[in-house]
Amino acid sequence: PADLRSADDLAALPLIAGRELAGSPQRFYSSRYEEATTLTLHSSGTNGRAKAVRYDRAALFEALAHGQRQRAVLAQFTGRRTGYREMSVIRAGSVATQMRRFYETHAWVPRSMDVQRCVLPLELPFDEMLRRINEFRPDLLAGYGSHLGALLRWAWEQGRDLHRPRVIWYGADAMPPADRDLIENRLRVPVLSTYQADEALRIGFQCERREGFHLSLDDVAVRVLKPDGSPAGPGEQGEIVISNLSNRA
């Protein structure tokens, strides 16, 4: 361990492929932490390979604290950091749902500092989703990029009455550029994106300028590698390799 002096030294370690983690997650569990003191997050397998990743509680609360960076950006649109109305369109049993259940069980937040939350099951038909959005009238509408894009495009093309939130916040997958253009330029709702993974939670987020992603480099080391394993340069494409710097379990 003493050989590792900086994040750059992590490049000397062999890579762990997603299929290895998915196939034998217990190989990577720390014996220092008992199962009762950890939370095992089960991914939904959106990339075709479901995984189970175990987290110690300190790492989860660290992720919660780092989330305040994103909240500071959202406040530029909602007008405040707390007390606004947030609706999330997510799958039942998603990682976000598992983490929210953990925080509600292991933490207490004064009502004056919390957010008014509402969860909208992804499995509902568009008609019912639209009805609930108009009923709850969220300041922030969050969810999967492709799904939110399809939902709001459907509402626009159908000429349906749609409550327009102050900001759209998406992650998990990409939002088609045409849908983002419609939402921002026709519905006049700004769109923000986040980038995360079950193996490292918060990796990157867009600020109010929405021109790229800020990386949480104190929480996760991020590299982009070309097929030959060498680092990708500016403008080059490659595979993202991450090292979680906070999770000990």
Side-chain angles (χ1 to χ4, degrees), residues 41 53 55 58-72 74 84 86 95-97 99-100 102-103 117 140 142 169-172 193-206 213-222 240 242-247:
L41 297 177
V53 183
Y55 279 87
L60 292 169
F61 278 106
E62 201 168 312
L64 183 65
H66 287 164
Q68 294 307 308
R69 297 166 176 163
Q70 298 172 19
R71 296 289 174 189
L74 293 172
Y84 57 84
E86 175 182 308
V95 169
T97 303
M99 293 184 64
R100 174 51 46 192
F102 170 85
Y103 292 135
R117 291 186 174 86
L140 166 65
W169 183 19
Y170 77 86
S193 180
T194 62
Y195 181 60
Q196 55 273 321
D198 303 328
E199 298 88 344
L201 303 183
R202 306 183 192 279
I203 298 175
F205 63 97
Q206 290 184 326
F213 286 83
H214 297 272
L215 299 179
S216 299
L217 294 179
D218 53 349
D219 198 37
V220 57
V222 181
I240 293 180
I242 57 175
S243 296
N244 191 320
L245 303 179
S246 62
N247 184 23

Side-chain angles (χ1 to χ4, degrees), residues 18-124:
R19 62 180 179 275
E20 294 177 284
L21 177 59
S24 303
Q26 67 280 358
R27 288 178 54 201
F28 306 100
Y29 291 161
S30 169
S31 58
R32 178 181 176 184
Y33 293 87
E34 298 180 1
E35 184 175 1
T37 65
T38 62
L39 175 67
T40 300
L41 297 177
H42 296 274
S43 74
S44 56
T46 51
N47 64 354
R49 188 180 297 115
K51 301 186 186 77
V53 183
R54 181 173 292 181
Y55 279 87
D56 63 274
R57 294 179 179 179
L60 292 169
F61 278 106
E62 201 168 312
L64 183 65
H66 287 164
Q68 294 307 308
R69 297 166 176 163
Q70 298 172 19
R71 296 289 174 189
V73 174
L74 293 172
Q76 304 297 314
F77 302 96
T78 62
R80 49 185 174 173
R81 285 199 184 202
T82 61
Y84 57 84
R85 303 169 72 82
E86 175 182 308
M87 174 174 273
S88 298
V89 186
I90 53 179
R91 291 185 179 89
S94 67
V95 169
T97 303
Q98 297 170 57
M99 293 184 64
R100 174 51 46 192
R101 189 180 304 119
F102 170 85
Y103 292 135
E104 291 175 348
T105 303
H106 294 86
W108 176 78
V109 179
R111 186 178 298 274
S112 61
M113 295 178 60
D114 208 353
V115 173
Q116 301 178 56
R117 291 186 174 86
C118 177
V119 174
L120 196 57
L122 187 74
E123 297 77 14
L124 293 176

